[in-house]
Amino acid sequence: MSELDGNDKEADLPQETPSESGAPERPLNAETDVQAEDHVTGATTDVPCLTPSKAGEEETPKKLCGYLYKLGMKGPLKAWKYRFFCYNDKKCHLLYYRMATDVCPLGSIDLHTATFHFSMEAEEGIFEIKTPAKPYILKAINKHAKMYWLQQLQRKRWEYCNNTSKMTMSPDVLDSDDNLHSAVDGDFLPPVKTPTEVVGLTVVSMPVPQESTSLQNISLKHPWKEIQNTVRNICGSKPSQTSRSVFHFEESEQAAEVEVTAKQFEKMSPSLNFARKARRQNGCLPSNHDNISHEKMNNSQLQIQAVNEELKSQKDLVKLLHRALESAQEEKRACSDYLSAPEEKDRLELIRHKVRQIEDLRQRVETLEQKKLDLEQCVSFKDIHIEELKEHVQLLMEKNSAKQQVIMKQNEQLLSQIDSDHKSRTDIETLQGQFRKIDSLMDDINAYKTQNQFLNSEIHQVTQLWRNTAEKETAQLMKCSYLEARNCQIESKYLILLRKLQEVLPHLDAEYCAVIKRLIEDALESDIKVPLQPSTVHFNPVSEYDDYGFMIIPEYEVEHLKLLAKIQALEIRSNKLLTHEVVDKPLQMKWNNIEELSHSTELKTLVRCGIPTEHRKRVWKWLTSQRIRICANHYKDLLRKCESAQHPASQQIELDLHRTLTNNKHFNSPTSELIQKLRRVLLAYSWQNPTIGYCQGLNRLAAMALLVLEDEESAFYCLVDIVENIMPADYYSNNLSGSQVDQKVFKDFLSEKLPRLTAHFEQYRVDLSLVTFNWFLVIFVDSLVSDILLRVWDAFLYEGTKVIFRYALAIFKYNEEEILKLTDEMEIYQYLSFFTKTICDGRKLMNIAFYEMNPFPLKLVRNRRAAHMEKFKAQLVELENIKLEYVKSKRELRSTDNDMGVSEDEEDT
């Protein structure tokens, strides 16, 4: 008989050794609401609370526990072992013991990251739990118990993961998670009914199964735990029975006496307190019933029922005696009142009062008798109705029997017909065998349907759990990105402050100068180390080189430029982190949805925002093919021509090869593969366009094409497209007339768009062409950081040369306030020599170029070019005339000297 325990005051558990599964040890709980498990079927049921409880109290939540076979060890000792499994709600672990009475678990299975599977080809009742650490193969006694365990484990895993995600996820994610939870509640597999016919208190109350006590079921991996569990089971003793008075029938008194008995038992068996406390710490069973010892659960249920019935009968007897005593006392009081009355009138009044009471009681008796008659009549009607229902059921059974007979006759007729058709008993047996085979196949189909439903539910649930985890991971990554960006911004501000202090070093004391120099050295020596991001983050961490091999932090000799380079790297990193999820990721998705490229407003907007790295090669090739006709063997013919003859420009090409993109790792080594490709591309173009041959700047254009397109033939045609189609004529001619004209056009636009800046330059006599000429000639190569440079090239290849004007104006607009603060010609030139490297926010620069500089029609650019070209040609003609006049005057002077007899030697002296 199970009884209540007292309060636990025993010492903590000793240190446990690692379990078979590698998980930390968790001892089993012994509490009031024990889960009974049938050792035959392996199914679980809820054992009701054995403590006195009032009607209407909430039931204890169901627990999952029971006996299963576990395939243990590998090699020759591989065998099925009988284990008692119990689910731990707090940690989502499935603990297993040798027996239900053990305290120390032999191991645990982490269900949080586990998946469940079973195969129809396997033995009946076998299923598998796969964890990242190892798989566990378990076996129930039949398919029903197997499906019950699988469905319960699946539900427990979902409840744990769902509750964990609600504690950490944002409200928006929680809303979606609730929807997912409601979707998962409608499982594909119908709920399996608990096999209650063989479960209950039997697992706890019955003796330990023989399979659990057999030698082959002992865990060889944990002999010390086996000894501990055995000793603790032996030390446990049964509670003593105490006599109870039948007059103590109130529930509060009964509970108090049970508590006293439990305390006496606690003093008699302290070892059970130790086991009880150990099992309660494990959290396997309900934690709100700490006063029940697991050892007391081994008493017989029959004894509990017998004692309860005896107690109930004694309670009823006591109640009857109390009622008889009360009626006797009432009669005694009435007689005493009658005898103590002073006058006859008072006695008559008492008699009348009793007569009235008797009349009232008689009326109540009549009323009750009437009710009794009504109830008897109602019962008779019910009996009649029941008889009618029985007759109806009998008719239905007879009807069903008749139908069965008809079916049997039809089957006999069918078999006889088959017998007459085939005229062979062998054919009938074959047909019956086919019928049996069909029945077997139908059973297999049903079994496979069940397997398919379970696997569908498992896939569905695991997918939902993965989505929840992915959303949590994305939220954490966004938070990390934001914090990392903030860190970059703070460090950037710190470096900017050091740079400002560096500029005023000559005006500070020697002590402060030394401190500031030391801080600057420490800042320059420290590397920007960023941990690698998961695959979900598509941008690269700050490293020495970017995707195309450009140096993130250029190596400058001047210290203030070194600080500037590091500030630039930090700001680029910060901008990427902050814009990745909000800007870059949606743009990436739009690019991924574009299957066929065609000119449109949407594509133009996407190109202006920048082409993703994985799509840039494809888009550049498409843009080149739209403007130029690519011949199959033309490039190879040009290469053969280069091998057979040497072009006059080859020497200049060799000189410029090693001065190309010095901040890119692919062009650092003379033996680099891209250096060899660049040489072939430039030589091929020198034969392709003999008018130009080679011009300084073409090496940078070809190098950019090689970095993106990789294939040298594609890079060659990209160079041809830029020089002969996109850029104006004579841009790379001997006199660079097209480039010089664009400088004049740019000055016109600068005076219109940025008049304050133009006036500032004129005030200090600054010639912008000294800075901007190279921008236009090589399309900002070596001037802008690589990320912004590639965006400029994307828009340039799509829209043409007006993009160069837009970005040139945007660069000055971006730094306008800083330039206006400079009041010295040398300071302005010095600032203009490196100020493009200070631009790190590509989004801001793009918005200035394409929105703040509007309107900017291409027709206006062409008209300005035409007007300045005419002036430039007129100036060239005038210069040519001046040159001719000078040569003519020089010849006339020589002829005059010769007529006067002056020799050439005398003339030289």
Side-chain angles (χ1 to χ4, degrees), residues 267-439:
K267 296 178 181 179
M268 296 173 59
S269 181
S271 61
L272 292 182
N273 279 334
F274 175 80
R276 180 179 66 253
K277 186 170 183 180
R279 297 169 70 86
R280 183 173 61 254
Q281 290 177 355
N282 190 44
C284 299
L285 296 173
S287 60
N288 57 341
H289 299 283
D290 293 333
N291 298 325
I292 295 298
S293 170
H294 179 73
E295 302 300 334
K296 299 174 187 178
M297 287 301 187
N298 294 327
N299 295 319
S300 173
Q301 187 179 9
L302 297 176
Q303 294 177 354
I304 297 173
Q305 293 177 354
V307 172
N308 287 336
E309 289 176 359
E310 182 181 358
L311 181 61
K312 185 177 179 181
S313 62
Q314 291 178 356
K315 287 180 182 179
D316 294 338
L317 179 59
V318 170
K319 289 179 180 179
L320 290 174
L321 292 175
H322 273 279
R323 289 175 184 173
L325 181 60
E326 288 177 358
S327 61
Q329 289 177 351
E330 184 68 24
E331 185 177 356
K332 181 180 178 181
R333 283 195 297 269
C335 291
S336 62
D337 291 340
Y338 179 81
L339 295 175
S340 61
E343 295 180 1
E344 187 68 23
K345 182 175 60 176
D346 296 334
R347 293 178 181 177
L348 290 174
E349 185 63 30
L350 288 174
I351 292 173
R352 291 192 193 97
H353 177 69
K354 291 298 179 181
V355 170
R356 285 195 297 271
Q357 287 184 348
I358 291 170
E359 184 64 23
D360 292 339
L361 290 174
R362 187 182 62 77
Q363 292 177 359
R364 289 172 63 184
V365 168
E366 291 177 356
T367 304
L368 291 174
E369 287 178 352
Q370 184 64 33
K371 288 183 179 180
K372 178 182 177 183
L373 292 174
D374 294 339
L375 291 174
E376 289 177 351
Q377 187 178 3
C378 181
V379 168
S380 63
F381 288 150
K382 293 289 184 182
D383 292 338
I384 295 171
H385 184 63
I386 289 171
E387 292 296 331
E388 292 176 354
L389 291 176
K390 287 182 178 179
E391 292 177 0
H392 183 65
V393 170
Q394 184 65 28
L395 291 174
L396 290 176
M397 292 177 65
E398 292 176 356
K399 185 178 180 181
N400 186 31
S401 178
K403 288 183 178 179
Q404 292 292 335
Q405 292 177 1
V406 171
I407 292 171
M408 293 297 294
K409 289 180 180 179
Q410 290 179 352
N411 287 336
E412 292 176 358
Q413 291 175 3
L414 179 62
L415 291 175
S416 63
Q417 183 179 0
I418 293 172
D419 188 26
S420 61
D421 292 341
H422 294 279
K423 297 179 181 180
S424 174
R425 185 176 181 180
T426 306
D427 294 340
I428 295 175
E429 292 177 353
T430 303
L431 185 60
Q432 291 176 348
Q434 291 177 352
F435 282 144
R436 288 193 296 269
K437 188 175 181 180
I438 290 173
D439 293 337

Side-chain angles (χ1 to χ4, degrees), residues 658-690:
H658 305 297
R659 294 183 290 189
T660 304
L661 301 184
T662 56
N663 63 337
N664 191 289
K665 66 178 180 180
H666 298 298
F667 294 93
N668 283 342
S669 174
T671 59
S672 173
E673 183 182 356
L674 284 185
I675 288 287
Q676 311 305 324
K677 290 182 178 181
L678 179 61
R679 177 186 289 108
R680 291 192 291 269
V681 169
L682 293 177
L683 288 174
Y685 186 77
S686 65
W687 289 106
Q688 161 76 16
N689 193 340

Side-chain angles (χ1 to χ4, degrees), residues 680-732:
R680 291 192 291 269
V681 169
L682 293 177
L683 288 174
Y685 186 77
S686 65
W687 289 106
Q688 161 76 16
N689 193 340
T691 304
I692 296 176
Y694 174 74
C695 174
Q696 285 186 347
L698 295 183
N699 58 328
R700 296 187 181 110
L701 302 180
M704 285 294 299
L706 278 171
L707 286 174
V708 175
L709 300 175
E710 299 175 0
D711 177 46
E712 59 182 274
E713 184 175 2
S714 300
F716 166 76
Y717 282 111
C718 183
L719 179 63
V720 173
D721 184 32
I722 292 172
V723 177
E724 299 181 4
N725 294 330
I726 300 177
M727 303 299 278
D730 299 331
Y731 219 81
Y732 299 97

Side-chain angles (χ1 to χ4, degrees), residues 728-745:
D730 299 331
Y731 219 81
Y732 299 97
S733 60
N734 292 333
N735 56 8
L736 301 175
S737 58
S739 300
Q740 295 187 54
V741 166
D742 270 3
Q743 293 304 305
K744 298 181 181 297
V745 175

